[in-house]
Short mmCIF file of all heavy atoms in Angstrom, two decimals:
data_model
loop_
_atom_site.label_atom_id
_atom_site.label_comp_id
_atom_site.label_asym_id
_atom_site.label_seq_id
_atom_site.Cartn_x
_atom_site.Cartn_y
_atom_site.Cartn_z
N ASN A 1 4.50 -14.10 5.23
CA ASN A 1 5.93 -14.13 4.96
C ASN A 1 6.39 -15.30 4.12
O ASN A 1 7.28 -15.16 3.33
CB ASN A 1 6.71 -14.12 6.27
CG ASN A 1 6.52 -12.84 7.13
OD1 ASN A 1 6.22 -11.80 6.54
ND2 ASN A 1 6.70 -12.94 8.39
N ALA A 2 5.77 -16.46 4.31
CA ALA A 2 6.12 -17.64 3.52
C ALA A 2 5.88 -17.40 2.00
O ALA A 2 6.61 -17.90 1.20
CB ALA A 2 5.31 -18.77 4.04
N LYS A 3 4.83 -16.64 1.69
CA LYS A 3 4.52 -16.34 0.27
C LYS A 3 5.05 -15.04 -0.22
O LYS A 3 4.91 -14.68 -1.31
CB LYS A 3 2.98 -16.36 0.13
CG LYS A 3 2.36 -17.73 0.37
CD LYS A 3 0.83 -17.70 0.08
CE LYS A 3 0.26 -19.06 0.28
NZ LYS A 3 -1.23 -19.04 0.02
N ASN A 4 5.69 -14.33 0.73
CA ASN A 4 6.24 -12.95 0.45
C ASN A 4 5.15 -12.11 -0.22
O ASN A 4 5.41 -11.45 -1.26
CB ASN A 4 7.49 -13.05 -0.47
CG ASN A 4 8.41 -11.88 -0.27
OD1 ASN A 4 8.51 -11.32 0.83
ND2 ASN A 4 9.22 -11.61 -1.28
N THR A 5 4.00 -12.07 0.41
CA THR A 5 2.83 -11.43 -0.19
C THR A 5 2.13 -10.65 0.89
O THR A 5 2.07 -11.05 2.03
CB THR A 5 1.88 -12.46 -0.77
OG1 THR A 5 2.52 -13.14 -1.85
CG2 THR A 5 0.64 -11.80 -1.33
N VAL A 6 1.68 -9.48 0.55
CA VAL A 6 0.85 -8.63 1.42
C VAL A 6 -0.53 -8.56 0.84
O VAL A 6 -0.74 -8.51 -0.37
CB VAL A 6 1.48 -7.20 1.62
CG1 VAL A 6 0.50 -6.29 2.25
CG2 VAL A 6 2.72 -7.30 2.36
N TYR A 7 -1.53 -8.53 1.78
CA TYR A 7 -2.91 -8.53 1.29
C TYR A 7 -3.60 -7.28 1.84
O TYR A 7 -3.24 -6.74 2.87
CB TYR A 7 -3.65 -9.73 1.81
CG TYR A 7 -2.98 -11.05 1.40
CD1 TYR A 7 -2.14 -11.73 2.28
CD2 TYR A 7 -3.29 -11.63 0.12
CE1 TYR A 7 -1.58 -12.92 1.86
CE2 TYR A 7 -2.76 -12.78 -0.23
CZ TYR A 7 -1.86 -13.44 0.61
OH TYR A 7 -1.27 -14.69 0.19
N LEU A 8 -4.63 -6.88 1.19
CA LEU A 8 -5.59 -5.89 1.62
C LEU A 8 -6.99 -6.43 1.53
O LEU A 8 -7.50 -6.51 0.46
CB LEU A 8 -5.39 -4.56 0.89
CG LEU A 8 -6.25 -3.39 1.41
CD1 LEU A 8 -5.68 -2.92 2.80
CD2 LEU A 8 -6.25 -2.26 0.43
N GLN A 9 -7.56 -6.84 2.64
CA GLN A 9 -8.96 -7.28 2.69
C GLN A 9 -9.85 -6.09 2.79
O GLN A 9 -9.72 -5.26 3.71
CB GLN A 9 -9.14 -8.28 3.86
CG GLN A 9 -10.59 -8.74 3.96
CD GLN A 9 -11.02 -9.62 2.86
OE1 GLN A 9 -10.26 -10.51 2.41
NE2 GLN A 9 -12.24 -9.46 2.34
N MET A 10 -10.76 -5.98 1.84
CA MET A 10 -11.63 -4.83 1.81
C MET A 10 -13.09 -5.24 1.91
O MET A 10 -13.55 -5.97 1.07
CB MET A 10 -11.37 -4.03 0.45
CG MET A 10 -9.99 -3.58 0.21
SD MET A 10 -9.73 -2.59 -1.24
CE MET A 10 -10.29 -3.74 -2.55
N ASN A 11 -13.68 -4.86 2.96
CA ASN A 11 -15.09 -5.23 3.23
C ASN A 11 -15.98 -3.99 3.22
O ASN A 11 -15.49 -2.86 3.34
CB ASN A 11 -15.20 -5.91 4.55
CG ASN A 11 -14.40 -7.20 4.70
OD1 ASN A 11 -14.21 -7.94 3.66
ND2 ASN A 11 -13.92 -7.55 5.82
N THR A 12 -17.27 -4.21 3.09
CA THR A 12 -18.25 -3.14 3.05
C THR A 12 -17.82 -2.03 2.12
O THR A 12 -17.76 -0.84 2.48
CB THR A 12 -18.47 -2.57 4.50
OG1 THR A 12 -18.45 -3.66 5.49
CG2 THR A 12 -19.82 -1.85 4.63
N LEU A 13 -17.53 -2.40 0.97
CA LEU A 13 -17.01 -1.52 -0.05
C LEU A 13 -18.05 -0.41 -0.44
O LEU A 13 -19.29 -0.74 -0.48
CB LEU A 13 -16.54 -2.21 -1.28
CG LEU A 13 -15.14 -2.84 -1.10
CD1 LEU A 13 -14.93 -3.93 -2.17
CD2 LEU A 13 -14.04 -1.80 -1.07
N LYS A 14 -17.61 0.78 -0.69
CA LYS A 14 -18.45 1.86 -1.01
C LYS A 14 -18.05 2.44 -2.41
O LYS A 14 -16.90 2.23 -2.82
CB LYS A 14 -18.26 3.02 0.01
CG LYS A 14 -18.55 2.59 1.44
CD LYS A 14 -18.27 3.77 2.35
CE LYS A 14 -18.54 3.35 3.82
NZ LYS A 14 -18.19 4.48 4.79
N PRO A 15 -18.97 3.11 -3.13
CA PRO A 15 -18.62 3.67 -4.42
C PRO A 15 -17.35 4.53 -4.32
O PRO A 15 -16.58 4.63 -5.27
CB PRO A 15 -19.85 4.46 -4.77
CG PRO A 15 -20.98 3.71 -4.14
CD PRO A 15 -20.37 3.31 -2.80
N GLU A 16 -17.17 5.24 -3.23
CA GLU A 16 -16.00 6.10 -3.10
C GLU A 16 -14.68 5.40 -2.90
O GLU A 16 -13.64 6.05 -2.91
CB GLU A 16 -16.19 7.15 -1.93
CG GLU A 16 -16.60 6.51 -0.60
CD GLU A 16 -18.08 6.56 -0.38
OE1 GLU A 16 -18.90 6.24 -1.32
OE2 GLU A 16 -18.49 6.87 0.76
N ASP A 17 -14.78 4.08 -2.76
CA ASP A 17 -13.54 3.29 -2.74
C ASP A 17 -13.04 2.95 -4.17
O ASP A 17 -11.95 2.38 -4.26
CB ASP A 17 -13.77 1.91 -2.00
CG ASP A 17 -14.10 2.16 -0.55
OD1 ASP A 17 -13.45 2.97 0.11
OD2 ASP A 17 -15.00 1.41 -0.03
N THR A 18 -13.78 3.36 -5.14
CA THR A 18 -13.44 3.08 -6.56
C THR A 18 -12.09 3.86 -6.85
O THR A 18 -12.01 5.01 -6.68
CB THR A 18 -14.46 3.58 -7.49
OG1 THR A 18 -15.69 2.72 -7.34
CG2 THR A 18 -14.03 3.46 -8.96
N ALA A 19 -11.06 3.11 -7.29
CA ALA A 19 -9.78 3.64 -7.60
C ALA A 19 -8.90 2.56 -8.13
O ALA A 19 -9.21 1.42 -8.08
CB ALA A 19 -9.14 4.22 -6.27
N VAL A 20 -7.69 3.03 -8.61
CA VAL A 20 -6.58 2.07 -8.89
C VAL A 20 -5.82 1.94 -7.59
O VAL A 20 -5.46 2.94 -6.98
CB VAL A 20 -5.72 2.52 -10.00
CG1 VAL A 20 -4.57 1.57 -10.21
CG2 VAL A 20 -6.51 2.71 -11.28
N TYR A 21 -5.58 0.69 -7.15
CA TYR A 21 -4.93 0.46 -5.90
C TYR A 21 -3.51 -0.07 -6.22
O TYR A 21 -3.29 -0.90 -7.06
CB TYR A 21 -5.68 -0.64 -5.09
CG TYR A 21 -6.90 -0.06 -4.40
CD1 TYR A 21 -8.04 0.34 -5.14
CD2 TYR A 21 -6.93 0.15 -3.02
CE1 TYR A 21 -9.15 0.81 -4.49
CE2 TYR A 21 -7.98 0.66 -2.42
CZ TYR A 21 -9.16 0.98 -3.13
OH TYR A 21 -10.22 1.54 -2.50
N TYR A 22 -2.56 0.54 -5.48
CA TYR A 22 -1.17 0.20 -5.67
C TYR A 22 -0.54 -0.27 -4.33
O TYR A 22 -0.90 0.28 -3.27
CB TYR A 22 -0.38 1.44 -6.13
CG TYR A 22 -0.84 2.10 -7.36
CD1 TYR A 22 -1.82 3.07 -7.38
CD2 TYR A 22 -0.21 1.74 -8.58
CE1 TYR A 22 -2.25 3.72 -8.54
CE2 TYR A 22 -0.68 2.39 -9.74
CZ TYR A 22 -1.64 3.33 -9.76
OH TYR A 22 -2.05 3.94 -10.88
N CYS A 23 0.30 -1.23 -4.39
CA CYS A 23 1.17 -1.51 -3.24
C CYS A 23 2.53 -0.95 -3.49
O CYS A 23 2.95 -0.77 -4.58
CB CYS A 23 1.21 -3.05 -2.95
SG CYS A 23 2.09 -3.99 -4.13
N ALA A 24 3.17 -0.65 -2.39
CA ALA A 24 4.49 0.03 -2.48
C ALA A 24 5.29 -0.37 -1.22
O ALA A 24 4.81 -0.63 -0.21
CB ALA A 24 4.35 1.56 -2.53
N ALA A 25 6.61 -0.39 -1.46
CA ALA A 25 7.54 -0.71 -0.35
C ALA A 25 8.44 0.46 -0.06
O ALA A 25 8.93 1.17 -0.93
CB ALA A 25 8.41 -1.90 -0.82
N ASP A 26 8.62 0.71 1.24
CA ASP A 26 9.53 1.73 1.69
C ASP A 26 10.86 1.02 1.99
O ASP A 26 11.11 0.47 3.06
CB ASP A 26 9.00 2.41 2.92
CG ASP A 26 9.89 3.47 3.45
OD1 ASP A 26 11.02 3.65 2.93
OD2 ASP A 26 9.49 4.18 4.41
N LEU A 27 11.74 0.99 1.00
CA LEU A 27 13.02 0.28 1.12
C LEU A 27 14.03 0.98 2.08
O LEU A 27 15.15 0.47 2.19
CB LEU A 27 13.58 -0.07 -0.19
CG LEU A 27 12.63 -0.87 -1.15
CD1 LEU A 27 13.35 -1.13 -2.47
CD2 LEU A 27 12.24 -2.19 -0.46
N TRP A 28 13.61 2.16 2.58
CA TRP A 28 14.53 2.83 3.48
C TRP A 28 14.16 2.58 5.03
O TRP A 28 14.91 2.97 5.83
CB TRP A 28 14.41 4.35 3.25
CG TRP A 28 14.96 4.73 1.93
CD1 TRP A 28 16.21 4.42 1.45
CD2 TRP A 28 14.40 5.59 0.97
NE1 TRP A 28 16.41 4.99 0.21
CE2 TRP A 28 15.26 5.72 -0.09
CE3 TRP A 28 13.17 6.24 0.86
CZ2 TRP A 28 14.97 6.48 -1.29
CZ3 TRP A 28 12.88 7.01 -0.27
CH2 TRP A 28 13.80 7.11 -1.32
N SER A 29 12.99 1.96 5.21
CA SER A 29 12.56 1.91 6.61
C SER A 29 11.65 0.70 6.81
O SER A 29 10.86 0.37 6.02
CB SER A 29 11.77 3.19 7.00
OG SER A 29 11.21 3.04 8.27
N PRO A 30 11.78 0.06 8.02
CA PRO A 30 10.91 -1.05 8.38
C PRO A 30 9.65 -0.51 9.10
O PRO A 30 8.78 -1.34 9.42
CB PRO A 30 11.76 -1.91 9.32
CG PRO A 30 12.62 -0.90 9.97
CD PRO A 30 12.93 0.21 8.94
N VAL A 31 9.61 0.76 9.30
CA VAL A 31 8.51 1.31 10.10
C VAL A 31 7.66 2.23 9.20
O VAL A 31 8.16 3.08 8.44
CB VAL A 31 9.01 2.08 11.29
CG1 VAL A 31 7.89 2.67 12.09
CG2 VAL A 31 9.92 1.22 12.10
N CYS A 32 6.35 2.06 9.35
CA CYS A 32 5.43 2.91 8.67
C CYS A 32 5.54 4.35 9.14
O CYS A 32 5.60 4.56 10.35
CB CYS A 32 4.02 2.45 8.75
SG CYS A 32 3.65 0.86 7.96
N ARG A 33 5.55 5.30 8.25
CA ARG A 33 5.61 6.73 8.73
C ARG A 33 4.27 7.35 8.57
O ARG A 33 3.43 6.96 7.77
CB ARG A 33 6.62 7.49 7.88
CG ARG A 33 7.98 6.75 7.70
CD ARG A 33 8.94 7.59 6.92
NE ARG A 33 9.72 6.76 6.06
CZ ARG A 33 10.90 7.13 5.62
NH1 ARG A 33 11.46 8.28 5.79
NH2 ARG A 33 11.56 6.26 4.73
N THR A 34 4.03 8.33 9.47
CA THR A 34 2.79 9.01 9.49
C THR A 34 3.00 10.52 9.23
O THR A 34 3.91 11.15 9.89
CB THR A 34 2.08 8.88 10.88
OG1 THR A 34 1.96 7.52 11.19
CG2 THR A 34 0.75 9.51 10.88
N PRO A 35 2.30 11.17 8.32
CA PRO A 35 1.32 10.51 7.50
C PRO A 35 1.95 9.70 6.31
O PRO A 35 3.17 9.83 6.07
CB PRO A 35 0.51 11.69 6.83
CG PRO A 35 1.61 12.75 6.81
CD PRO A 35 2.43 12.53 8.01
N MET A 36 1.19 8.92 5.60
CA MET A 36 1.73 8.11 4.47
C MET A 36 1.97 9.05 3.36
O MET A 36 1.02 9.68 2.92
CB MET A 36 0.79 7.01 4.13
CG MET A 36 0.65 5.88 5.12
SD MET A 36 -0.51 4.54 4.56
CE MET A 36 0.38 3.99 3.03
N GLU A 37 3.19 9.13 2.88
CA GLU A 37 3.53 9.96 1.74
C GLU A 37 4.06 9.15 0.59
O GLU A 37 4.89 8.25 0.81
CB GLU A 37 4.55 10.99 2.17
CG GLU A 37 4.14 11.91 3.29
CD GLU A 37 3.21 12.99 2.79
OE1 GLU A 37 2.87 13.09 1.61
OE2 GLU A 37 2.66 13.71 3.73
N THR A 38 3.60 9.38 -0.62
CA THR A 38 4.11 8.60 -1.74
C THR A 38 5.64 8.76 -1.92
O THR A 38 6.28 7.83 -2.30
CB THR A 38 3.47 9.04 -3.08
OG1 THR A 38 3.63 10.45 -3.27
CG2 THR A 38 1.93 8.78 -3.01
N ALA A 39 6.18 9.90 -1.48
CA ALA A 39 7.65 10.07 -1.68
C ALA A 39 8.46 9.18 -0.73
O ALA A 39 9.66 9.00 -1.01
CB ALA A 39 7.97 11.56 -1.38
N ASP A 40 7.90 8.58 0.26
CA ASP A 40 8.59 7.73 1.18
C ASP A 40 8.77 6.35 0.60
O ASP A 40 9.46 5.51 1.24
CB ASP A 40 7.90 7.70 2.51
CG ASP A 40 8.03 9.05 3.32
OD1 ASP A 40 9.05 9.73 3.07
OD2 ASP A 40 7.13 9.34 4.11
N PHE A 41 7.98 6.01 -0.38
CA PHE A 41 7.94 4.64 -0.95
C PHE A 41 8.65 4.61 -2.28
O PHE A 41 8.29 5.43 -3.14
CB PHE A 41 6.49 4.13 -1.07
CG PHE A 41 5.80 3.94 0.29
CD1 PHE A 41 5.34 5.02 1.02
CD2 PHE A 41 5.70 2.67 0.80
CE1 PHE A 41 4.75 4.79 2.26
CE2 PHE A 41 5.08 2.42 2.06
CZ PHE A 41 4.62 3.53 2.80
N ASN A 42 9.53 3.72 -2.38
CA ASN A 42 10.44 3.78 -3.56
C ASN A 42 10.35 2.57 -4.48
O ASN A 42 11.11 2.44 -5.38
CB ASN A 42 11.90 4.03 -3.14
CG ASN A 42 12.29 3.16 -1.94
OD1 ASN A 42 11.63 2.23 -1.61
ND2 ASN A 42 13.38 3.55 -1.30
N SER A 43 9.44 1.68 -4.20
CA SER A 43 9.21 0.62 -5.17
C SER A 43 7.65 0.43 -5.19
O SER A 43 7.02 0.25 -4.18
CB SER A 43 9.82 -0.68 -4.66
OG SER A 43 9.63 -1.76 -5.55
N TRP A 44 7.15 0.39 -6.43
CA TRP A 44 5.73 0.38 -6.62
C TRP A 44 5.30 -0.71 -7.65
O TRP A 44 6.02 -1.09 -8.54
CB TRP A 44 5.26 1.70 -7.29
CG TRP A 44 5.40 2.88 -6.34
CD1 TRP A 44 6.55 3.62 -6.08
CD2 TRP A 44 4.34 3.46 -5.53
NE1 TRP A 44 6.24 4.56 -5.13
CE2 TRP A 44 4.96 4.53 -4.82
CE3 TRP A 44 3.03 3.22 -5.39
CZ2 TRP A 44 4.18 5.29 -3.94
CZ3 TRP A 44 2.26 3.98 -4.53
CH2 TRP A 44 2.85 5.04 -3.82
N GLY A 45 4.07 -1.21 -7.42
CA GLY A 45 3.51 -2.14 -8.33
C GLY A 45 2.79 -1.36 -9.47
O GLY A 45 2.74 -0.13 -9.45
N GLN A 46 2.18 -2.09 -10.35
CA GLN A 46 1.63 -1.49 -11.56
C GLN A 46 0.14 -1.03 -11.24
O GLN A 46 -0.47 -0.30 -12.04
CB GLN A 46 1.65 -2.49 -12.69
CG GLN A 46 0.47 -3.46 -12.76
CD GLN A 46 0.63 -4.56 -11.67
OE1 GLN A 46 1.62 -4.66 -11.03
NE2 GLN A 46 -0.46 -5.40 -11.53
N GLY A 47 -0.45 -1.52 -10.18
CA GLY A 47 -1.83 -1.11 -9.80
C GLY A 47 -2.83 -2.09 -10.24
O GLY A 47 -2.69 -2.88 -11.23
#
């Protein structure tokens, strides 16, 4: 919170993890929804 930064620590990486990774914020809700849907997130990074 002090850095206003979220991290994703990825260990034991596999070839199938190859992708462009994006972070996104759901500015409508403080709670993660299940399942995760791109339409629920309204602010995105560039990847």
